């Protein structure tokens, strides 16, 4: 009897500790960020990454497009450098999970490329707390490509473009993105 009671309350306790996400994408307080145009301060790579699963379906992370500046956090300094030893760099940068193909870089973006912020979520990560997740869209060959900005260690490599652990949205690191004077 005591064991069944203990199991019941344990399940109740742990199921109640999951922290929900809060989507601020349509919140009037964040119109100065969401829907706004930002420009890359330095060249970057778009790559097959792992991002926060905002649907909650895939156990917190999912495959997606990520972005990182060239020459930082172990990323090569140029697309040409990447192409010289692509397989080795991919294995070094992207942990391959079982039953997952080796992820790789998709394409480079030049400094000055535009990204329009499309999503701002304070994402609940199990019982660990919330992390800021910022996604933006960039235009490549006539198609919108969504990328997630690096913001926390569970799915992104440093340096972070957003301090995902901040309690209040801290803004986007101006070392990587600066607001431009146009909107989508």
């Amino acid at each position: 009897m005591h064991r069944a009671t203990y199991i019941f309350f344990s399940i109740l306790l742990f199921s109640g500790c999951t922290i929900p996400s809060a989507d601020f994408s349509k919140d009037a307080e964040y119109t100065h960020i969401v829907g706004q145009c930002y420009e890359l301060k330095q060249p970057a790579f778009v790559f097959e990454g792992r991002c926060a699963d905002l649907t909650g379906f895939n156990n917190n992370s999912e495959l997606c497009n990520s972005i990182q500046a060239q020459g930082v956090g172990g990323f090569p300094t140029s697309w040409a450098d990447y192409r010289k030893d692509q397989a080795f760099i991919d294995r070094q940068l992207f942990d391959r999970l079982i039953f997952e193909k080796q992820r790789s870089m998709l394409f480079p973006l030049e400094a000055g490329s535009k990204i329009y912020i499309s999503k701002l979520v304070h994402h609940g990560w199990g019982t660990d707390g919330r992390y800021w997740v910022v996604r933006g869209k960039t235009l490549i060959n006539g198609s919108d490509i969504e990328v997630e900005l690096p913001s926390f260690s569970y799915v992104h490599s440093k340096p972070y473009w957003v301090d995902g652990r901040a309690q209040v949205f801290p803004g986007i690191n101006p070392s990587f993105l600066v607001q431009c004077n146009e909107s989508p």
Side-chain angles (χ1 to χ4, degrees):
M1 175 69 174
H2 292 296
R3 182 175 179 192
T5 304
Y6 175 75
I7 290 171
F8 172 75
F9 282 114
S10 294
I11 290 170
L12 186 63
L13 175 68
F14 288 119
S15 66
C17 290
T18 301
I19 299 168
S21 296
D23 189 342
F24 292 97
S25 301
K26 293 182 169 65
D27 193 306
E29 180 181 350
Y30 294 101
T31 57
H32 66 286
I33 296 166
V34 179
Q36 299 302 307
C37 173
Y38 285 78
E39 288 184 7
L40 287 171
K41 288 273 294 202
Q42 51 191 300
F45 292 114
V46 173
F47 60 92
E48 297 171 316
R50 294 204 71 75
C51 295
D53 176 18
L54 301 179
T55 67
F57 182 73
N58 291 319
N59 197 21
N60 279 329
S61 71
E62 65 182 349
L63 295 174
C64 65
N65 296 322
S66 288
I67 191 168
Q68 188 54 272
Q70 293 179 14
V72 300
F75 281 77
T77 57
S78 69
W79 185 254
D81 287 345
Y82 169 66
R83 297 296 297 197
K84 286 179 192 171
D85 204 359
Q86 180 175 342
F88 175 77
I89 293 170
D90 287 345
R91 284 190 306 274
Q92 294 295 335
L93 286 175
F94 312 121
D95 293 335
R96 186 173 161 234
L97 302 178
I98 192 164
F99 304 120
E100 182 179 89
K101 75 175 187 76
Q102 178 63 56
R103 293 177 285 136
S104 64
M105 305 271 193
L106 298 173
F107 52 85
L109 289 173
E110 297 300 319
S113 296
K114 294 177 176 23
I115 294 178
Y116 297 90
I117 303 304
S118 58
K119 211 169 246 325
L120 177 65
V121 177
H122 207 195
H123 179 58
W125 196 278
T127 60
D128 192 45
R130 289 187 175 167
Y131 297 89
W132 287 104
V133 175
V134 180
R135 293 191 180 165
K137 293 185 179 184
T138 188
L139 189 64
I140 301 296
N141 298 328
S143 298
D144 278 339
I145 304 294
E146 186 176 64
V147 296
E148 186 168 293
L149 306 183
S151 62
F152 62 100
S153 63
Y154 287 139
V155 290
H156 304 130
S157 299
K158 288 182 180 181
Y160 302 132
W161 296 20
V162 173
D163 178 4
R165 288 299 271 165
Q167 295 299 310
V168 176
F169 185 70
I172 297 170
N173 185 334
S175 299
F176 300 103
L177 286 174
V178 293
Q179 200 160 8
C180 42
N181 294 325
E182 67 178 77
S183 56

